[in-house]
Amino acid sequence: MMDDLFSAARQPVLLAPGALFLPGAARAMQARLMQQLHEIMAQAPLRRLETPGGRRFSVEMTNCGALGWQSDKAGYRYESRDPLSGAAWPRIPDNWLVLARTMAEQAGYPGFVPQTCLINCYAPGARMGLHQDRDETALESPIVSVSLGVAAQFLFGGLERTAPTRKLSLLSGDVVVWGGPSRLFYHGITPLKPGHHELTGDRRWNLTFRRVRAC
């Protein structure tokens, strides 16, 4: 059964052990984040990746950082260079690193240093099915997810795909952090409903910070 947390006061919410919702935590930075997003995309344009089974994601993606997440018929993996250009991925801006570290610390994960930021762009109707972030070996590190633009419905479940999910309305500037016992919890985004945001038009953006490999 789903419960919509949007009706609750917009205060930090413990979604599950190790998982924290931080509403509006990045709101003051959203204009600057969007400006930097466009600078990153000038070097590493958005693209629609293909699943190993041959289906294309409805979400457009790119990356910044030392590694970038990739998917095609060869499988899911991280690459140190952009396959489209052969160049290294753009670096993660310093203020993004500070944001990710600060949000992780607020959720109880001090010392978080992400190696990648996966950038997802949702047009109306785009979605992300329930999945686990399990292509990383540094599972002791959390996931830090920042939402920008049009509101989206985030689903957060459990260790099994069939586990009950909670539904959370994410607004621009909202942050979700999960790790520890919830690091491999299934999560996803329902099809994006038409909407408008002054910074992003009809799009929703998601910045997902991850540490891929343990030191």
Side-chain angles (χ1 to χ4, degrees), residues 2 4 7 17 34-35 41 47 52 65 74 87 100 121 127 144 147 150 154 160 172 181 186 213-214:
M2 294 184 189
D4 190 345
S7 59
M34 285 305 307
Q35 178 186 6
M41 290 186 296
R47 73 287 311 264
C121 178
R127 62 185 292 274
V144 176
S147 293
V150 173
F154 177 66
E160 303 293 334
S172 191
Y186 278 87
R213 300 168 184 158

Side-chain angles (χ1 to χ4, degrees), residues 8 11 35 39 59 61 65 67 77 125 128-129 143 150 166 181 193-194:
Q11 299 295 323
Q35 178 186 6
E39 294 169 359
V59 175
M61 305 176 182
L67 297 165
R77 63 194 182 280
M128 186 67 71
I143 302 291
V150 173
R166 304 184 78 174
K193 294 182 179 180

Side-chain angles (χ1 to χ4, degrees), residues 5 27 40 60 66 71 89 118 146 213 215:
L5 301 177
R27 186 180 300 129
I40 289 167
E60 293 182 288
S71 174
W89 297 101
L118 173 61
V146 180
R213 300 168 184 158
C215 292

Side-chain angles (χ1 to χ4, degrees), residues 20-22 26 30 33-34 36-38 40-41 46-47 59-64 69 78 96 99-100 103 116-123 126-129 131 133 143-155 168-178 187-190 192 200 202-210:
L20 187 65
F21 168 50
L22 296 163
Q30 58 186 338
L33 293 174
M34 285 305 307
Q36 291 171 303
L37 257 177
H38 288 292
I40 289 167
M41 290 186 296
L46 291 171
R47 73 287 311 264
V59 175
E60 293 182 288
M61 305 176 182
T62 190
N63 298 272
C64 61
W69 189 80
Y78 284 92
W96 291 28
L99 172 64
M103 296 299 99
T116 186
C117 178
L118 173 61
I119 298 166
N120 292 331
C121 178
Y122 293 76
R127 62 185 292 274
M128 186 67 71
H131 66 283
D133 291 337
I143 302 291
V144 176
S145 175
V146 180
S147 293
L148 298 168
V150 173
Q153 298 296 314
F154 177 66
L155 303 178
L168 179 67
S169 293
L170 295 179
L171 306 183
S172 191
D174 287 352
V175 178
V176 182
V177 182
W178 64 96
H187 56 282
I189 294 287
T190 65
L192 189 71
T200 67
D202 63 355
R203 298 299 198 263
R204 184 252 178 178
W205 296 84
N206 177 233
L207 311 180
T208 304
F209 296 92
R210 306 170 181 176

Side-chain angles (χ1 to χ4, degrees), residues 45-116:
L46 291 171
R47 73 287 311 264
R48 286 183 63 192
L49 301 179
E50 189 178 83
T51 69
R55 292 182 294 114
R56 288 203 174 273
F57 287 93
S58 60
V59 175
E60 293 182 288
M61 305 176 182
T62 190
N63 298 272
C64 61
L67 297 165
W69 189 80
Q70 289 294 291
S71 174
D72 55 28
K73 291 181 180 178
Y76 303 126
R77 63 194 182 280
Y78 284 92
E79 299 280 359
S80 61
R81 307 189 80 80
D82 183 349
L84 292 185
S85 66
W89 297 101
R91 61 185 294 274
I92 301 176
D94 290 343
N95 60 319
W96 291 28
L97 293 172
V98 172
L99 172 64
R101 184 176 67 247
T102 302
M103 296 299 99
E105 185 169 355
Q106 288 189 28
Y109 304 100
F112 176 55
V113 181
Q115 294 168 317
T116 186

